[in-house]
């Protein structure tokens, strides 16, 4: 069996990190050291955000793979979440992430038929493409695309909005500019039970 999709975006990284943050904030006292689990999940989400940023082409497209493609921009949720949490990895600047996400949003929504006559999202990825639906897809699930808009929760004076736009990795790579090399990655956080 082989699966290659964006469920690490839709569910795994974001929801796990948010759940662990709730446990840390609640100061839950259990055998699990939720702070260590959170720190490890944050590092993994940051690495995944780097990968997502690298998926964005100079034209603002990203690979359409796997199931649940009608969630559209939700594939970029961890990248948006890291910006909103103000925990972007050092490899990604605010101006770079904002420019990349903005390009994707324009590419997806500027000239496509993503909305019906009543103004609701249609089933599709970049336009009305009902054949992309899975058996569990419904009109409500389409609005997972709004998860990529999380940086809107940042104040207007935040560097995410005020920093100059910068080229993202694929723009640099395809224009002969220096860009960071990708590499093997592993975290070193041990999450042993407290008792």
């Amino acid at each position: 069996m082989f699966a290659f999709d964006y469920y690490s975006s839709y569910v795994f990284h974001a929801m796990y990190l948010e759940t662990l943050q709730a446990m840390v904030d609640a100061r839950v006292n259990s055998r699990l050291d939720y702070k260590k689990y959170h720190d490890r999940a944050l590092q993994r989400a940051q690495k995944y955000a780097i990968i997502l940023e690298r998926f964005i082409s100079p034209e603002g497209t990203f690979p359409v793979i796997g199931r649940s493609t009608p969630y559209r921009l939700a594939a970029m949720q961890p990248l948006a979440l890291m910006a909103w949490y103000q925990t972007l990895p050092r490899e990604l600047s605010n101006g770079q992430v904002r420019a990349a996400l903005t390009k994707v949003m324009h590419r997806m929504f500027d000239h496509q038929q993503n909305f019906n006559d009543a103004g609701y999202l249609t089933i599709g990825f970049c336009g009305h493409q009902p054949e992309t639906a899975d058996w569990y897809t419904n009109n409500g699930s389409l609005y997972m695309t709004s998860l990529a808009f999380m940086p809107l929760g940042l104040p207007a004076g935040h560097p995410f909005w005020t920093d100059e736009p910068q080229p993202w990795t694929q723009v640099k790579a395809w224009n002969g500019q220096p860009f960071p090399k990708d590499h093997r990655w592993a975290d070193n956080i041990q999450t042993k039970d407290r008792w």
Side-chain angles (χ1 to χ4, degrees):
M1 184 171 137
F2 176 77
F4 186 42
D5 54 39
Y6 288 106
Y7 271 80
S8 288
S9 291
Y10 305 146
V11 179
F12 306 136
H13 285 290
M15 288 185 179
Y16 186 51
L17 189 59
E18 290 169 334
T19 300
L20 290 170
Q21 184 65 56
M23 300 303 274
V24 170
D25 292 347
R27 293 185 165 91
V28 171
N29 185 19
S30 76
R31 67 179 179 81
L32 299 178
D33 187 341
Y34 285 108
K35 178 72 171 115
K36 280 190 175 181
Y37 279 84
H38 176 271
D39 292 348
R40 182 178 68 181
L42 177 61
Q43 284 185 12
R44 290 176 177 178
Q46 288 173 322
K47 176 58 180 175
Y48 188 65
I50 291 169
I51 293 166
L52 287 174
E53 186 271 349
R54 284 178 172 265
F55 277 2
I56 301 172
S57 76
E59 299 78 28
T61 62
F62 61 89
V64 184
I65 53 172
R67 56 195 179 119
S68 300
T69 55
Y71 298 172
R72 293 178 169 92
L73 294 173
M76 296 293 139
Q77 177 187 3
L79 187 55
L81 183 67
M82 292 299 98
W84 183 54
Y85 275 177
Q86 302 176 61
T87 56
L88 284 172
R90 70 181 186 288
E91 294 87 348
L92 302 177
S93 70
N94 282 294
Q96 172 182 358
V97 171
R98 187 188 72 246
L101 288 175
T102 300
K103 185 73 170 182
V104 172
M105 291 172 185
H106 279 291
R107 179 64 189 244
M108 186 166 285
F109 288 108
D110 280 357
H111 306 293
Q112 305 301 327
Q113 300 301 315
N114 290 297
F115 301 94
N116 64 22
D117 292 339
Y120 294 102
L121 281 170
T122 60
I123 293 176
F125 176 75
C126 190
H128 178 62
Q129 300 153 310
E131 69 280 359
T132 63
D134 293 292
W135 65 267
Y136 51 81
T137 305
N138 62 60
N139 288 76
S141 61
L142 306 179
Y143 286 87
M144 285 183 68
T145 194
S146 66
L147 295 168
F149 292 92
M150 281 190 274
L152 290 173
L154 294 169
H158 188 275
F160 184 83
W161 302 115
T162 59
D163 285 0
E164 289 293 319
Q166 296 176 347
W168 54 97
T169 303
Q170 297 299 327
V171 171
K172 293 174 188 173
W174 287 99
N175 285 293
Q177 300 169 0
F179 66 95
K181 183 175 82 169
D182 195 21
H183 53 85
R184 183 183 172 280
W185 181 87
D187 65 47
N188 58 0
I189 297 175
Q190 298 294 317
T191 52
K192 296 178 181 175
D193 293 348
R194 287 194 249 182
W195 62 77

